[in-house]
PDB file of all heavy atoms in Angstrom:
ATOM      1  N   THR A 106     139.516  58.150  99.607  1.00 95.00           N
ATOM      2  CA  THR A 106     138.774  58.077  98.355  1.00 95.00           C
ATOM      3  C   THR A 106     139.206  59.156  97.368  1.00 95.00           C
ATOM      4  O   THR A 106     139.409  58.881  96.189  1.00 95.00           O
ATOM      5  CB  THR A 106     137.259  58.203  98.615  1.00 95.00           C
ATOM      6  OG1 THR A 106     136.862  57.168  99.514  1.00 95.00           O
ATOM      7  CG2 THR A 106     136.464  58.093  97.327  1.00 95.00           C
ATOM      8  N   PHE A 107     139.351  60.391  97.845  1.00 95.00           N
ATOM      9  CA  PHE A 107     139.567  61.522  96.946  1.00 95.00           C
ATOM     10  C   PHE A 107     141.000  62.048  96.934  1.00 95.00           C
ATOM     11  O   PHE A 107     141.357  62.815  96.041  1.00 95.00           O
ATOM     12  CB  PHE A 107     138.609  62.669  97.299  1.00 95.00           C
ATOM     13  CG  PHE A 107     137.172  62.321  97.072  1.00 95.00           C
ATOM     14  CD1 PHE A 107     136.358  61.928  98.114  1.00 95.00           C
ATOM     15  CD2 PHE A 107     136.631  62.372  95.796  1.00 95.00           C
ATOM     16  CE1 PHE A 107     135.023  61.604  97.904  1.00 95.00           C
ATOM     17  CE2 PHE A 107     135.307  62.044  95.569  1.00 95.00           C
ATOM     18  CZ  PHE A 107     134.504  61.662  96.632  1.00 95.00           C
ATOM     19  N   GLY A 108     141.807  61.675  97.918  1.00 92.00           N
ATOM     20  CA  GLY A 108     143.179  62.178  98.005  1.00 92.00           C
ATOM     21  C   GLY A 108     144.188  61.193  97.457  1.00 92.00           C
ATOM     22  O   GLY A 108     143.845  60.218  96.797  1.00 92.00           O
ATOM     23  N   ASP A 109     145.452  61.449  97.771  1.00 91.00           N
ATOM     24  CA  ASP A 109     146.507  60.537  97.342  1.00 91.00           C
ATOM     25  C   ASP A 109     146.868  59.592  98.488  1.00 91.00           C
ATOM     26  O   ASP A 109     146.179  59.545  99.511  1.00 91.00           O
ATOM     27  CB  ASP A 109     147.727  61.307  96.816  1.00 91.00           C
ATOM     28  CG  ASP A 109     148.414  62.168  97.871  1.00 91.00           C
ATOM     29  OD1 ASP A 109     148.234  61.910  99.087  1.00 91.00           O
ATOM     30  OD2 ASP A 109     149.148  63.094  97.489  1.00 91.00           O
ATOM     31  N   ASP A 110     147.966  58.860  98.324  1.00 87.00           N
ATOM     32  CA  ASP A 110     148.356  57.848  99.309  1.00 87.00           C
ATOM     33  C   ASP A 110     148.630  58.416 100.699  1.00 87.00           C
ATOM     34  O   ASP A 110     148.429  57.744 101.698  1.00 87.00           O
ATOM     35  CB  ASP A 110     149.604  57.094  98.836  1.00 87.00           C
ATOM     36  CG  ASP A 110     149.349  56.279  97.585  1.00 87.00           C
ATOM     37  OD1 ASP A 110     148.166  56.015  97.279  1.00 87.00           O
ATOM     38  OD2 ASP A 110     150.324  55.918  96.905  1.00 87.00           O
ATOM     39  N   LYS A 111     149.114  59.654 100.763  1.00 91.00           N
ATOM     40  CA  LYS A 111     149.493  60.248 102.047  1.00 91.00           C
ATOM     41  C   LYS A 111     148.384  61.084 102.669  1.00 91.00           C
ATOM     42  O   LYS A 111     148.495  61.523 103.805  1.00 91.00           O
ATOM     43  CB  LYS A 111     150.738  61.110 101.862  1.00 91.00           C
ATOM     44  CG  LYS A 111     151.937  60.312 101.414  1.00 91.00           C
ATOM     45  CD  LYS A 111     153.125  61.208 101.180  1.00 91.00           C
ATOM     46  CE  LYS A 111     154.282  60.385 100.624  1.00 91.00           C
ATOM     47  NZ  LYS A 111     155.415  61.217 100.281  1.00 91.00           N
ATOM     48  N   SER A 112     147.321  61.326 101.939  1.00 92.00           N
ATOM     49  CA  SER A 112     146.251  62.219 102.409  1.00 92.00           C
ATOM     50  C   SER A 112     145.630  61.763 103.716  1.00 92.00           C
ATOM     51  O   SER A 112     145.415  62.574 104.620  1.00 92.00           O
ATOM     52  CB  SER A 112     145.152  62.333 101.359  1.00 92.00           C
ATOM     53  OG  SER A 112     145.615  62.966 100.215  1.00 92.00           O
ATOM     54  N   SER A 113     145.321  60.492 103.829  1.00 93.00           N
ATOM     55  CA  SER A 113     144.609  60.021 105.017  1.00 93.00           C
ATOM     56  C   SER A 113     145.453  60.178 106.279  1.00 93.00           C
ATOM     57  O   SER A 113     144.934  60.561 107.330  1.00 93.00           O
ATOM     58  CB  SER A 113     144.155  58.572 104.853  1.00 93.00           C
ATOM     59  OG  SER A 113     145.248  57.722 104.665  1.00 93.00           O
ATOM     60  N   ARG A 114     146.747  59.921 106.173  1.00 93.00           N
ATOM     61  CA  ARG A 114     147.624  60.090 107.348  1.00 93.00           C
ATOM     62  C   ARG A 114     147.719  61.560 107.736  1.00 93.00           C
ATOM     63  O   ARG A 114     147.710  61.902 108.916  1.00 93.00           O
ATOM     64  CB  ARG A 114     149.011  59.521 107.078  1.00 93.00           C
ATOM     65  CG  ARG A 114     149.035  58.016 107.093  1.00 93.00           C
ATOM     66  CD  ARG A 114     150.413  57.452 107.159  1.00 93.00           C
ATOM     67  NE  ARG A 114     151.405  58.307 106.520  1.00 93.00           N
ATOM     68  CZ  ARG A 114     152.404  57.884 105.785  1.00 93.00           C
ATOM     69  NH1 ARG A 114     152.570  56.611 105.591  1.00 93.00           N
ATOM     70  NH2 ARG A 114     153.261  58.727 105.257  1.00 93.00           N
ATOM     71  N   PHE A 115     147.820  62.427 106.737  1.00 93.00           N
ATOM     72  CA  PHE A 115     147.910  63.860 107.002  1.00 93.00           C
ATOM     73  C   PHE A 115     146.638  64.371 107.672  1.00 93.00           C
ATOM     74  O   PHE A 115     146.677  65.051 108.695  1.00 93.00           O
ATOM     75  CB  PHE A 115     148.189  64.628 105.705  1.00 93.00           C
ATOM     76  CG  PHE A 115     148.270  66.109 105.899  1.00 93.00           C
ATOM     77  CD1 PHE A 115     149.408  66.676 106.435  1.00 93.00           C
ATOM     78  CD2 PHE A 115     147.210  66.925 105.556  1.00 93.00           C
ATOM     79  CE1 PHE A 115     149.485  68.046 106.643  1.00 93.00           C
ATOM     80  CE2 PHE A 115     147.273  68.294 105.757  1.00 93.00           C
ATOM     81  CZ  PHE A 115     148.422  68.852 106.298  1.00 93.00           C
ATOM     82  N   VAL A 116     145.489  64.046 107.097  1.00 94.00           N
ATOM     83  CA  VAL A 116     144.195  64.477 107.642  1.00 94.00           C
ATOM     84  C   VAL A 116     144.017  63.927 109.057  1.00 94.00           C
ATOM     85  O   VAL A 116     143.599  64.649 109.970  1.00 94.00           O
ATOM     86  CB  VAL A 116     143.036  64.048 106.710  1.00 94.00           C
ATOM     87  CG1 VAL A 116     141.685  64.183 107.384  1.00 94.00           C
ATOM     88  CG2 VAL A 116     143.069  64.858 105.422  1.00 94.00           C
ATOM     89  N   ASN A 117     144.358  62.680 109.266  1.00 93.00           N
ATOM     90  CA  ASN A 117     144.271  62.071 110.589  1.00 93.00           C
ATOM     91  C   ASN A 117     145.140  62.828 111.587  1.00 93.00           C
ATOM     92  O   ASN A 117     144.690  63.137 112.696  1.00 93.00           O
ATOM     93  CB  ASN A 117     144.685  60.603 110.519  1.00 93.00           C
ATOM     94  CG  ASN A 117     144.533  59.889 111.845  1.00 93.00           C
ATOM     95  OD1 ASN A 117     143.713  60.263 112.678  1.00 93.00           O
ATOM     96  ND2 ASN A 117     145.325  58.859 112.049  1.00 93.00           N
ATOM     97  N   GLY A 118     146.371  63.147 111.209  1.00 91.00           N
ATOM     98  CA  GLY A 118     147.276  63.848 112.108  1.00 91.00           C
ATOM     99  C   GLY A 118     146.770  65.222 112.500  1.00 91.00           C
ATOM    100  O   GLY A 118     146.771  65.588 113.681  1.00 91.00           O
ATOM    101  N   VAL A 119     146.318  65.985 111.525  1.00 92.00           N
ATOM    102  CA  VAL A 119     145.830  67.340 111.806  1.00 92.00           C
ATOM    103  C   VAL A 119     144.566  67.288 112.664  1.00 92.00           C
ATOM    104  O   VAL A 119     144.456  68.005 113.669  1.00 92.00           O
ATOM    105  CB  VAL A 119     145.564  68.124 110.498  1.00 92.00           C
ATOM    106  CG1 VAL A 119     144.891  69.463 110.791  1.00 92.00           C
ATOM    107  CG2 VAL A 119     146.850  68.338 109.722  1.00 92.00           C
ATOM    108  N   LEU A 120     143.620  66.453 112.301  1.00 92.00           N
ATOM    109  CA  LEU A 120     142.367  66.391 113.061  1.00 92.00           C
ATOM    110  C   LEU A 120     142.564  65.781 114.443  1.00 92.00           C
ATOM    111  O   LEU A 120     141.872  66.166 115.393  1.00 92.00           O
ATOM    112  CB  LEU A 120     141.304  65.620 112.272  1.00 92.00           C
ATOM    113  CG  LEU A 120     140.790  66.331 111.031  1.00 92.00           C
ATOM    114  CD1 LEU A 120     139.785  65.455 110.289  1.00 92.00           C
ATOM    115  CD2 LEU A 120     140.175  67.680 111.359  1.00 92.00           C
ATOM    116  N   SER A 121     143.499  64.852 114.591  1.00 90.00           N
ATOM    117  CA  SER A 121     143.787  64.287 115.913  1.00 90.00           C
ATOM    118  C   SER A 121     144.327  65.367 116.843  1.00 90.00           C
ATOM    119  O   SER A 121     143.918  65.466 118.002  1.00 90.00           O
ATOM    120  CB  SER A 121     144.794  63.138 115.811  1.00 90.00           C
ATOM    121  OG  SER A 121     144.200  62.047 115.162  1.00 90.00           O
ATOM    122  N   LYS A 122     145.236  66.197 116.333  1.00 85.00           N
ATOM    123  CA  LYS A 122     145.749  67.316 117.138  1.00 85.00           C
ATOM    124  C   LYS A 122     144.612  68.267 117.489  1.00 85.00           C
ATOM    125  O   LYS A 122     144.526  68.763 118.605  1.00 85.00           O
ATOM    126  CB  LYS A 122     146.821  68.090 116.359  1.00 85.00           C
ATOM    127  CG  LYS A 122     148.134  67.393 116.250  1.00 85.00           C
ATOM    128  CD  LYS A 122     149.105  68.282 115.503  1.00 85.00           C
ATOM    129  CE  LYS A 122     150.189  67.445 114.875  1.00 85.00           C
ATOM    130  NZ  LYS A 122     150.966  68.198 113.908  1.00 85.00           N
ATOM    131  N   PHE A 123     143.766  68.518 116.520  1.00 83.00           N
ATOM    132  CA  PHE A 123     142.644  69.429 116.724  1.00 83.00           C
ATOM    133  C   PHE A 123     141.711  68.901 117.805  1.00 83.00           C
ATOM    134  O   PHE A 123     141.344  69.624 118.732  1.00 83.00           O
ATOM    135  CB  PHE A 123     141.886  69.631 115.407  1.00 83.00           C
ATOM    136  CG  PHE A 123     140.815  70.662 115.495  1.00 83.00           C
ATOM    137  CD1 PHE A 123     141.116  72.003 115.330  1.00 83.00           C
ATOM    138  CD2 PHE A 123     139.508  70.297 115.750  1.00 83.00           C
ATOM    139  CE1 PHE A 123     140.130  72.963 115.430  1.00 83.00           C
ATOM    140  CE2 PHE A 123     138.517  71.260 115.850  1.00 83.00           C
ATOM    141  CZ  PHE A 123     138.826  72.594 115.689  1.00 83.00           C
ATOM    142  N   THR A 124     141.322  67.638 117.732  1.00 83.00           N
ATOM    143  CA  THR A 124     140.384  67.081 118.714  1.00 83.00           C
ATOM    144  C   THR A 124     141.050  66.919 120.080  1.00 83.00           C
ATOM    145  O   THR A 124     140.400  67.115 121.096  1.00 83.00           O
ATOM    146  CB  THR A 124     139.788  65.736 118.255  1.00 83.00           C
ATOM    147  OG1 THR A 124     140.836  64.822 117.961  1.00 83.00           O
ATOM    148  CG2 THR A 124     138.909  65.933 117.039  1.00 83.00           C
ATOM    149  N   ASP A 125     142.349  66.587 120.098  1.00 77.00           N
ATOM    150  CA  ASP A 125     143.056  66.481 121.381  1.00 77.00           C
ATOM    151  C   ASP A 125     143.079  67.823 122.105  1.00 77.00           C
ATOM    152  O   ASP A 125     142.832  67.899 123.289  1.00 77.00           O
ATOM    153  CB  ASP A 125     144.494  65.982 121.186  1.00 77.00           C
ATOM    154  CG  ASP A 125     144.554  64.518 120.811  1.00 77.00           C
ATOM    155  OD1 ASP A 125     143.521  63.824 120.914  1.00 77.00           O
ATOM    156  OD2 ASP A 125     145.642  64.068 120.383  1.00 77.00           O
ATOM    157  N   GLN A 126     143.369  68.875 121.376  1.00 68.00           N
ATOM    158  CA  GLN A 126     143.464  70.205 121.977  1.00 68.00           C
ATOM    159  C   GLN A 126     142.099  70.723 122.415  1.00 68.00           C
ATOM    160  O   GLN A 126     141.980  71.318 123.474  1.00 68.00           O
ATOM    161  CB  GLN A 126     144.118  71.193 121.019  1.00 68.00           C
ATOM    162  CG  GLN A 126     144.396  72.532 121.667  1.00 68.00           C
ATOM    163  CD  GLN A 126     145.147  73.467 120.755  1.00 68.00           C
ATOM    164  OE1 GLN A 126     145.231  73.252 119.565  1.00 68.00           O
ATOM    165  NE2 GLN A 126     145.685  74.520 121.342  1.00 68.00           N
ATOM    166  N   THR A 127     141.066  70.490 121.610  1.00 66.00           N
ATOM    167  CA  THR A 127     139.748  70.993 121.990  1.00 66.00           C
ATOM    168  C   THR A 127     139.127  70.165 123.107  1.00 66.00           C
ATOM    169  O   THR A 127     138.264  70.650 123.822  1.00 66.00           O
ATOM    170  CB  THR A 127     138.788  71.026 120.769  1.00 66.00           C
ATOM    171  OG1 THR A 127     138.726  69.735 120.173  1.00 66.00           O
ATOM    172  CG2 THR A 127     139.243  72.049 119.752  1.00 66.00           C
TER     173      THR A 127
END
Side-chain angles (χ1 to χ4, degrees):
T106 302
F107 295 99
D109 64 21
D110 295 342
K111 297 177 184 175
S112 294
S113 61
R114 286 194 330 220
F115 179 78
V116 167
N117 184 27
V119 173
L120 291 177
S121 291
K122 286 182 204 167
F123 186 84
T124 55
D125 288 348
Q126 187 175 15
T127 55

